[in-house]
Amino acid sequence: AENPEIKRKNIPNKDTMTVFTELITPIFEKMWANEGENDSLAKIRDTLLPKLMCGKIDVSAIKFWYT
């Protein structure tokens, strides 16, 4: 049988869990926000790209900052 004393030592205390949660929560929030932004950008891409490819949207007059 497993030794309960060993299992208990592997569980972090409340303070450690609180610090961990405070550190990791913003990271996960940023990941979720990035996923949402990626979905939005993919939809915009999927809408605009076919129109650009067939000439329905003309970008020839646009001045780009790097040209």
Coordinates of all heavy atoms in Angstrom, one line a residue:
A1 N 0.8 -1.2 0.0 CA 0.0 0.0 0.0 C 0.9 1.2 0.0 O 2.0 1.2 0.4 CB -0.9 0.0 1.2
E2 N 0.3 2.3 -0.5 CA 1.0 3.6 -0.5 C 1.1 4.2 0.8 O 0.2 4.1 1.7 CB 0.3 4.6 -1.5 CG 0.4 4.2 -2.9 CD -0.2 5.2 -3.8 OE1 0.2 6.4 -3.7 OE2 -1.1 4.9 -4.6
N3 N 2.2 4.9 1.1 CA 2.5 5.5 2.3 C 1.8 6.9 2.3 O 2.2 7.8 1.5 CB 4.0 5.7 2.5 CG 4.3 6.3 3.9 OD1 3.5 6.9 4.6 ND2 5.6 6.1 4.3
P4 N 0.8 7.2 3.1 CA 0.1 8.5 3.1 C 1.0 9.6 3.5 O 0.8 10.7 3.1 CB -1.0 8.3 4.2 CG -0.7 7.0 4.9 CD 0.3 6.2 4.1
E5 N 2.0 9.4 4.3 CA 3.0 10.4 4.6 C 3.7 11.0 3.4 O 3.9 12.2 3.3 CB 4.0 9.9 5.7 CG 4.8 11.0 6.3 CD 3.9 11.9 7.2 OE1 2.9 11.5 7.7 OE2 4.3 13.1 7.3
I6 N 4.0 10.1 2.5 CA 4.7 10.5 1.3 C 3.8 11.3 0.4 O 4.1 12.4 -0.1 CB 5.3 9.3 0.5 CG1 6.4 8.6 1.3 CG2 5.7 9.7 -0.9 CD1 6.9 7.3 0.7
K7 N 2.5 10.9 0.2 CA 1.6 11.6 -0.6 C 1.3 13.0 0.0 O 1.2 14.0 -0.7 CB 0.2 10.9 -0.6 CG 0.3 9.7 -1.5 CD -1.0 9.0 -1.6 CE -1.7 9.4 -2.9 NZ -3.0 8.7 -3.1
R8 N 1.2 13.2 1.3 CA 1.0 14.4 1.9 C 2.1 15.4 1.6 O 1.9 16.6 1.5 CB 0.8 14.2 3.4 CG 0.2 15.4 4.1 CD -0.2 15.2 5.6 NE -1.1 14.1 5.7 CZ -1.0 13.1 6.5 NH1 0.0 13.0 7.4 NH2 -1.9 12.1 6.6
K9 N 3.3 15.0 1.6 CA 4.5 15.9 1.3 C 4.5 16.4 -0.1 O 5.1 17.4 -0.4 CB 5.8 15.1 1.6 CG 6.0 14.9 3.1 CD 7.3 14.2 3.3 CE 7.5 13.9 4.8 NZ 8.7 13.2 5.1
N10 N 3.8 15.7 -1.0 CA 3.7 16.2 -2.4 C 2.7 17.2 -2.7 O 2.6 17.8 -3.8 CB 3.5 15.0 -3.3 CG 4.7 14.1 -3.4 OD1 5.8 14.5 -3.2 ND2 4.5 12.8 -3.6
I11 N 1.8 17.5 -1.7 CA 0.8 18.5 -1.9 C 1.3 19.8 -1.3 O 1.6 19.9 -0.2 CB -0.5 18.1 -1.1 CG1 -1.0 16.7 -1.7 CG2 -1.6 19.2 -1.2 CD1 -2.1 16.1 -0.9
P12 N 1.3 20.9 -2.2 CA 1.8 22.2 -1.7 C 0.8 22.8 -0.7 O -0.4 22.5 -0.7 CB 1.8 23.1 -3.0 CG 1.2 22.3 -4.1 CD 0.9 20.9 -3.6
N13 N 1.4 23.6 0.2 CA 0.5 24.3 1.2 C -0.3 25.4 0.6 O -0.1 25.7 -0.6 CB 1.4 24.8 2.4 CG 2.3 25.8 2.0 OD1 2.1 26.6 1.1 ND2 3.5 25.9 2.7
K14 N -1.2 25.9 1.3 CA -2.2 26.9 0.8 C -1.4 28.2 0.3 O -1.8 28.7 -0.7 CB -3.2 27.3 1.9 CG -4.2 28.2 1.4 CD -5.3 28.5 2.5 CE -6.3 29.5 1.9 NZ -7.4 29.8 2.8
D15 N -0.4 28.6 1.0 CA 0.3 29.8 0.6 C 1.0 29.6 -0.7 O 1.0 30.5 -1.6 CB 1.4 30.2 1.7 CG 0.7 30.8 2.9 OD1 -0.4 31.2 2.9 OD2 1.4 30.8 4.0
T16 N 1.6 28.4 -0.9 CA 2.3 28.1 -2.2 C 1.3 28.1 -3.3 O 1.5 28.6 -4.4 CB 3.0 26.8 -2.0 OG1 4.0 26.8 -1.0 CG2 3.7 26.4 -3.3
M17 N 0.1 27.5 -3.0 CA -0.9 27.4 -4.1 C -1.5 28.8 -4.4 O -1.7 29.1 -5.6 CB -2.1 26.5 -3.6 CG -1.7 25.0 -3.5 SD -1.2 24.4 -5.1 CE -2.8 24.6 -6.0
T18 N -1.6 29.7 -3.4 CA -2.0 31.0 -3.7 C -1.0 31.8 -4.5 O -1.4 32.4 -5.5 CB -2.3 31.8 -2.3 OG1 -3.2 31.1 -1.6 CG2 -2.7 33.2 -2.6
V19 N 0.2 31.7 -4.2 CA 1.3 32.4 -5.0 C 1.3 31.8 -6.4 O 1.3 32.5 -7.4 CB 2.7 32.2 -4.3 CG1 3.8 32.7 -5.3 CG2 2.7 33.0 -3.0
F20 N 1.2 30.5 -6.6 CA 1.2 29.9 -7.9 C 0.0 30.4 -8.7 O 0.1 30.7 -9.9 CB 1.2 28.3 -7.7 CG 1.0 27.6 -9.1 CD1 2.1 27.5 -9.9 CD2 -0.2 27.1 -9.5 CE1 2.0 26.8 -11.1 CE2 -0.3 26.5 -10.7 CZ 0.8 26.3 -11.5
T21 N -1.2 30.4 -8.1 CA -2.4 30.8 -8.8 C -2.2 32.3 -9.2 O -2.6 32.6 -10.3 CB -3.6 30.6 -7.9 OG1 -3.7 29.3 -7.5 CG2 -4.9 31.1 -8.5
E22 N -1.7 33.1 -8.3 CA -1.5 34.5 -8.7 C -0.5 34.7 -9.9 O -0.7 35.6 -10.7 CB -1.0 35.3 -7.5 CG -2.1 35.5 -6.4 CD -1.6 36.1 -5.1 OE1 -0.4 36.3 -5.0 OE2 -2.4 36.3 -4.3
L23 N 0.5 33.8 -9.9 CA 1.4 33.9 -11.0 C 0.9 33.3 -12.3 O 1.2 33.9 -13.4 CB 2.7 33.1 -10.6 CG 3.6 33.8 -9.6 CD1 4.7 32.8 -9.1 CD2 4.2 35.1 -10.1
I24 N 0.2 32.3 -12.3 CA -0.2 31.5 -13.5 C -1.5 32.1 -14.1 O -1.7 32.0 -15.3 CB -0.3 30.0 -13.2 CG1 -0.2 29.2 -14.4 CG2 -1.6 29.7 -12.5 CD1 1.2 29.1 -15.0
T25 N -2.4 32.7 -13.3 CA -3.6 33.2 -13.8 C -3.5 34.2 -14.9 O -4.1 34.1 -16.0 CB -4.5 33.8 -12.7 OG1 -4.8 32.7 -11.8 CG2 -5.8 34.3 -13.2
P26 N -2.6 35.2 -14.8 CA -2.5 36.2 -15.9 C -1.9 35.5 -17.2 O -2.3 35.9 -18.3 CB -1.5 37.2 -15.4 CG -1.4 37.0 -13.9 CD -1.8 35.6 -13.6
I27 N -1.1 34.5 -17.0 CA -0.6 33.8 -18.2 C -1.7 33.1 -18.9 O -1.8 33.2 -20.2 CB 0.5 32.8 -17.8 CG1 1.7 33.5 -17.2 CG2 0.9 31.9 -18.9 CD1 2.7 32.7 -16.5
F28 N -2.6 32.4 -18.2 CA -3.7 31.7 -18.8 C -4.7 32.7 -19.4 O -5.2 32.5 -20.5 CB -4.4 30.8 -17.8 CG -3.7 29.4 -17.8 CD1 -2.8 29.2 -16.8 CD2 -4.0 28.4 -18.7 CE1 -2.2 27.9 -16.7 CE2 -3.4 27.2 -18.6 CZ -2.5 26.9 -17.6
E29 N -4.9 33.8 -18.7 CA -5.8 34.9 -19.3 C -5.3 35.4 -20.6 O -6.0 35.6 -21.5 CB -6.0 36.0 -18.3 CG -6.9 35.6 -17.1 CD -6.9 36.6 -16.0 OE1 -6.1 37.5 -16.0 OE2 -7.8 36.4 -15.1
K30 N -4.0 35.6 -20.7 CA -3.3 36.1 -21.9 C -3.5 35.0 -23.0 O -3.7 35.3 -24.2 CB -1.9 36.4 -21.7 CG -1.2 37.0 -22.9 CD -1.8 38.4 -23.2 CE -1.0 39.0 -24.3 NZ -1.6 40.2 -24.8
M31 N -3.3 33.7 -22.6 CA -3.4 32.7 -23.6 C -4.8 32.6 -24.2 O -5.0 32.5 -25.4 CB -3.1 31.3 -23.0 CG -1.6 31.1 -22.7 SD -1.2 29.6 -21.7 CE -2.2 28.4 -22.4
W32 N -5.8 32.8 -23.3 CA -7.2 32.7 -23.8 C -7.5 33.9 -24.6 O -8.2 33.8 -25.7 CB -8.2 32.7 -22.6 CG -8.0 31.4 -21.8 CD1 -7.8 30.1 -22.3 CD2 -8.1 31.2 -20.4 NE1 -7.7 29.2 -21.3 CE2 -7.9 29.9 -20.1 CE3 -8.3 32.1 -19.3 CZ2 -7.9 29.4 -18.8 CZ3 -8.3 31.6 -18.0 CH2 -8.1 30.3 -17.8
A33 N -7.0 35.1 -24.3 CA -7.2 36.3 -25.1 C -6.6 36.1 -26.5 O -7.1 36.5 -27.5 CB -6.7 37.5 -24.4
N34 N -5.4 35.6 -26.5 CA -4.7 35.3 -27.8 C -5.4 34.4 -28.6 O -5.5 34.5 -29.9 CB -3.2 34.8 -27.5 CG -2.3 35.9 -27.0 OD1 -2.6 37.1 -27.1 ND2 -1.2 35.5 -26.5
E35 N -6.0 33.3 -28.0 CA -6.8 32.4 -28.8 C -8.0 33.1 -29.5 O -8.3 32.9 -30.7 CB -7.3 31.2 -27.9 CG -6.2 30.3 -27.6 CD -6.7 29.2 -26.6 OE1 -7.9 29.2 -26.3 OE2 -5.9 28.4 -26.2
G36 N -8.7 34.0 -28.7 CA -9.8 34.7 -29.3 C -9.3 35.6 -30.4 O -10.0 35.8 -31.4
E37 N -8.2 36.3 -30.2 CA -7.7 37.2 -31.2 C -7.3 36.4 -32.5 O -7.5 36.8 -33.6 CB -6.5 38.0 -30.7 CG -6.0 39.0 -31.7 CD -4.9 39.9 -31.1 OE1 -4.4 39.6 -30.0 OE2 -4.6 40.9 -31.7
N38 N -6.7 35.3 -32.3 CA -6.3 34.4 -33.4 C -7.5 34.0 -34.2 O -7.5 34.0 -35.5 CB -5.5 33.2 -33.0 CG -4.1 33.5 -32.6 OD1 -3.6 34.5 -32.9 ND2 -3.5 32.6 -31.8
D39 N -8.6 33.6 -33.5 CA -9.9 33.3 -34.2 C -10.4 34.4 -35.0 O -10.8 34.3 -36.2 CB -10.9 32.8 -33.2 CG -10.6 31.5 -32.6 OD1 -9.7 30.7 -33.1 OD2 -11.2 31.2 -31.5
S40 N -10.4 35.6 -34.4 CA -10.9 36.8 -35.1 C -10.0 37.1 -36.3 O -10.6 37.4 -37.4 CB -10.9 38.0 -34.2 OG -11.8 37.9 -33.1
L41 N -8.7 37.1 -36.2 CA -7.8 37.4 -37.3 C -8.0 36.3 -38.4 O -7.9 36.7 -39.6 CB -6.4 37.4 -36.8 CG -6.0 38.6 -36.0 CD1 -4.7 38.5 -35.4 CD2 -6.2 39.9 -36.8
A42 N -8.2 35.1 -38.1 CA -8.4 34.0 -39.1 C -9.7 34.3 -39.9 O -9.7 34.1 -41.1 CB -8.4 32.6 -38.4
K43 N -10.7 34.7 -39.2 CA -12.0 35.0 -39.9 C -11.8 36.2 -40.8 O -12.3 36.2 -42.0 CB -13.1 35.3 -38.9 CG -13.6 34.1 -38.1 CD -14.6 34.4 -37.1 CE -15.0 33.2 -36.3 NZ -15.8 33.5 -35.1
I44 N -11.1 37.2 -40.4 CA -10.8 38.4 -41.3 C -10.0 38.0 -42.5 O -10.3 38.3 -43.6 CB -10.1 39.5 -40.5 CG1 -11.1 40.1 -39.4 CG2 -9.6 40.6 -41.4 CD1 -10.4 41.0 -38.4
R45 N -9.0 37.2 -42.2 CA -8.1 36.7 -43.3 C -9.0 35.9 -44.3 O -8.9 36.1 -45.5 CB -7.0 35.8 -42.8 CG -6.1 35.1 -43.8 CD -5.5 33.9 -43.3 NE -6.5 32.9 -43.0 CZ -6.3 32.0 -42.0 NH1 -5.2 32.0 -41.3 NH2 -7.2 31.1 -41.7
D46 N -9.8 35.0 -43.8 CA -10.6 34.1 -44.7 C -11.6 34.9 -45.4 O -12.1 34.5 -46.5 CB -11.3 33.0 -43.8 CG -10.3 32.0 -43.2 OD1 -9.1 32.0 -43.7 OD2 -10.6 31.3 -42.3
T47 N -12.0 36.0 -44.9 CA -13.0 36.9 -45.6 C -12.3 37.7 -46.7 O -12.8 37.9 -47.8 CB -13.7 37.8 -44.6 OG1 -14.4 37.0 -43.7 CG2 -14.7 38.7 -45.3
L48 N -11.2 38.3 -46.3 CA -10.5 39.2 -47.2 C -9.6 38.6 -48.3 O -9.6 39.1 -49.4 CB -9.6 40.2 -46.4 CG -10.3 41.2 -45.5 CD1 -9.3 42.0 -44.7 CD2 -11.2 42.1 -46.4
L49 N -9.0 37.5 -48.0 CA -8.0 36.9 -48.9 C -8.7 36.5 -50.3 O -8.2 36.9 -51.3 CB -7.3 35.7 -48.3 CG -6.2 35.1 -49.1 CD1 -5.1 36.1 -49.4 CD2 -5.6 33.9 -48.4
P50 N -9.8 35.9 -50.3 CA -10.4 35.5 -51.6 C -10.8 36.8 -52.4 O -10.6 36.8 -53.6 CB -11.7 34.8 -51.2 CG -11.5 34.3 -49.8 CD -10.6 35.3 -49.2
K51 N -11.2 37.9 -51.7 CA -11.6 39.1 -52.4 C -10.3 39.8 -52.9 O -10.4 40.4 -54.0 CB -12.3 40.0 -51.4 CG -13.7 39.5 -51.0 CD -14.4 40.4 -50.0 CE -15.7 39.8 -49.6 NZ -16.4 40.6 -48.7
L52 N -9.2 39.7 -52.2 CA -8.0 40.2 -52.7 C -7.5 39.4 -53.9 O -7.0 40.0 -54.9 CB -6.9 40.2 -51.6 CG -7.1 41.3 -50.5 CD1 -6.2 40.9 -49.3 CD2 -6.8 42.6 -51.0
M53 N -7.6 38.1 -53.8 CA -7.0 37.2 -54.9 C -7.8 37.4 -56.2 O -7.2 37.3 -57.3 CB -7.1 35.8 -54.4 CG -6.2 35.5 -53.2 SD -4.5 35.7 -53.5 CE -4.2 34.3 -54.6
C54 N -9.1 37.6 -56.1 CA -9.9 37.8 -57.4 C -10.0 39.2 -57.8 O -10.7 39.5 -58.8 CB -11.2 37.1 -57.2 SG -12.4 38.0 -56.2
G55 N -9.5 40.1 -57.1 CA -9.5 41.5 -57.5 C -10.7 42.3 -57.1 O -10.9 43.5 -57.5
K56 N -11.5 41.8 -56.2 CA -12.7 42.5 -55.7 C -12.3 43.7 -54.8 O -13.0 44.7 -54.7 CB -13.7 41.6 -55.0 CG -14.4 40.7 -55.9 CD -15.4 39.9 -55.1 CE -16.2 39.0 -56.0 NZ -17.2 38.2 -55.3
I57 N -11.1 43.6 -54.2 CA -10.5 44.6 -53.4 C -9.2 45.1 -54.0 O -8.3 44.2 -54.3 CB -10.3 44.2 -51.9 CG1 -11.6 43.8 -51.3 CG2 -9.6 45.3 -51.1 CD1 -11.4 43.2 -49.9
D58 N -9.1 46.3 -54.3 CA -7.9 46.9 -55.0 C -7.1 47.6 -54.0 O -7.5 48.5 -53.3 CB -8.3 47.9 -56.1 CG -7.2 48.5 -56.8 OD1 -6.1 47.9 -56.7 OD2 -7.3 49.5 -57.5
V59 N -5.8 47.1 -53.8 CA -4.9 47.7 -52.9 C -3.7 48.4 -53.6 O -2.8 48.8 -52.9 CB -4.4 46.6 -51.9 CG1 -5.5 46.1 -51.0 CG2 -3.7 45.5 -52.6
S60 N -3.9 48.6 -54.9 CA -2.7 49.2 -55.6 C -2.4 50.6 -55.3 O -1.3 51.0 -55.4 CB -3.0 49.1 -57.1 OG -4.2 49.8 -57.5
A61 N -3.4 51.3 -54.8 CA -3.2 52.7 -54.4 C -2.7 52.9 -53.0 O -2.4 54.1 -52.6 CB -4.4 53.5 -54.7
I62 N -2.6 51.9 -52.2 CA -2.2 52.0 -50.8 C -0.7 52.2 -50.7 O 0.1 51.6 -51.4 CB -2.6 50.7 -50.0 CG1 -4.1 50.6 -50.0 CG2 -2.0 50.8 -48.6 CD1 -4.6 49.3 -49.3
K63 N -0.3 53.3 -50.0 CA 1.1 53.5 -49.8 C 1.5 52.9 -48.5 O 1.0 53.2 -47.4 CB 1.3 55.0 -49.7 CG 0.9 55.8 -50.9 CD 2.0 56.6 -51.4 CE 1.4 57.5 -52.5 NZ 2.0 57.2 -53.8
F64 N 2.5 52.0 -48.5 CA 3.0 51.3 -47.4 C 4.2 52.0 -46.8 O 5.0 52.6 -47.5 CB 3.3 49.8 -47.8 CG 2.2 49.0 -48.2 CD1 1.9 48.8 -49.5 CD2 1.3 48.5 -47.2 CE1 0.8 48.1 -49.9 CE2 0.2 47.7 -47.6 CZ 0.0 47.5 -49.0
W65 N 4.3 52.0 -45.5 CA 5.4 52.7 -44.9 C 6.8 52.2 -45.2 O 7.8 52.9 -45.1 CB 5.2 52.7 -43.4 CG 5.3 51.3 -42.7 CD1 4.2 50.5 -42.5 CD2 6.4 50.7 -42.3 NE1 4.7 49.3 -42.0 CE2 6.0 49.4 -41.8 CE3 7.8 51.0 -42.2 CZ2 6.9 48.5 -41.3 CZ3 8.7 50.1 -41.7 CH2 8.2 48.8 -41.2
Y66 N 6.9 51.0 -45.6 CA 8.2 50.4 -45.9 C 8.6 50.5 -47.4 O 9.7 50.0 -47.7 CB 8.2 48.9 -45.4 CG 7.1 48.1 -46.0 CD1 7.3 47.5 -47.3 CD2 6.0 47.8 -45.3 CE1 6.3 46.7 -47.8 CE2 5.0 47.1 -45.9 CZ 5.1 46.5 -47.1 OH 4.1 45.7 -47.6
T67 N 7.8 51.1 -48.2 CA 8.2 51.3 -49.6 C 8.8 52.6 -49.9 O 8.6 53.6 -49.2 CB 7.0 51.0 -50.6 OG1 6.0 51.9 -50.2 CG2 6.6 49.6 -50.5

